[in-house]
Amino acid sequence: MIDQHPDATRFRLDIAYDGTDFKGWARQPGLRTVQGVLEDAIARLFGRRGDEPGLTVAGRTDAGVHATGQVAHIDLLERHVDALKRQRRRDAVPQSPGEVFTRRVDGVLGRRSDVVVTSASEAPAGFDARFSASWRRYEYRVADDVTGRNPLERNTIVWRPGVLDVDAMDAAARELVGLHDFGAYCKPREGATTIRTLQDFCWRRDDAGRVIAEVRADAFCHSMVRSLVGACVAVGEGRLSAAELVQIRDAAERTSSFTVMPAHGLTLVQVGYPEDDLLAARAELTKAKRTLD
């Protein structure tokens, strides 16, 4: 069962942020984080009475990582929803409680905020932003000598000297797809599994010549995407082969054969969920211990 207060209404929030000046998603004492800034804004919105709801996120991003498609849920008590409905009745154009919430939270955050709630809506039964998710999709952006260095993109793209062999990187990435133990590409956490299903991993150049990785998995362990990207960059620079990346994966042990790439090139672009009637079942499946069977 999804843990939810019996008198609360669950809302889905879609969120975007520039991660440059955040110490990651998760609230930490004395540090500026996305969760902390958003929850403080929500507390101000509802009057700081001590019962303000907290956020549950689809995927905690690290310091410096950006998002255009982050998802979270929040359980609003009856008084919170009533406050949104009262605001709705004052509006010249009728708005749903989710629309009022979006507008008012972003009003608290300000027009130059580096985090924005792009939409909010009442969530379907069984929805859990974290456990109901079927997949997360990230993009990683690299510039090489084909693209050149653009100072306006310094916070969202990583520059590498030389010219990367994108075809070799793409071929190597596709060899890593599937259900595997990705311990060699994760920063270990005690008691946490490193078994994941890497659903899609590919590389391309966009029209401006930027080198773009698209990575999708059911979930990611700590620094997995940046490690996978770093390994493929090593292939693109001729320092590793596709076969060696597979050997590293199958060894399931951390290695110094490649460098984990910086956080600022990474963006969470989308979180996928099943049909509404499958949300609760998906959440229970996610909570089960992962195996390679």
Side-chain angles (χ1 to χ4, degrees), residues 15 17 23-27 33-36 38 55 57 60-61:
I15 303 164
Y17 47 88
K23 298 299 183 182
W25 165 270
R27 181 184 282 275
T33 68
V34 182
Q35 182 181 20
L38 281 174
L55 295 167
V57 73
R60 294 183 176 187
T61 50

Side-chain angles (χ1 to χ4, degrees), residues 9 11 13 42 45-46 74 76-91 95-105 120:
T9 301
F11 281 75
L13 310 184
I42 292 166
L45 171 63
F46 291 121
I74 189 169
L76 299 183
L77 300 177
E78 185 176 356
R79 80 168 182 91
H80 303 134
V81 178
D82 285 346
L84 297 174
K85 289 179 178 178
R86 287 195 298 273
Q87 180 69 28
R88 180 181 59 178
R89 285 195 291 269
R90 298 191 193 108
D91 293 332
Q95 292 186 310
S96 69
E99 290 171 324
V100 175
F101 178 92
T102 301
R103 175 167 53 81
R104 294 195 67 195
V105 168

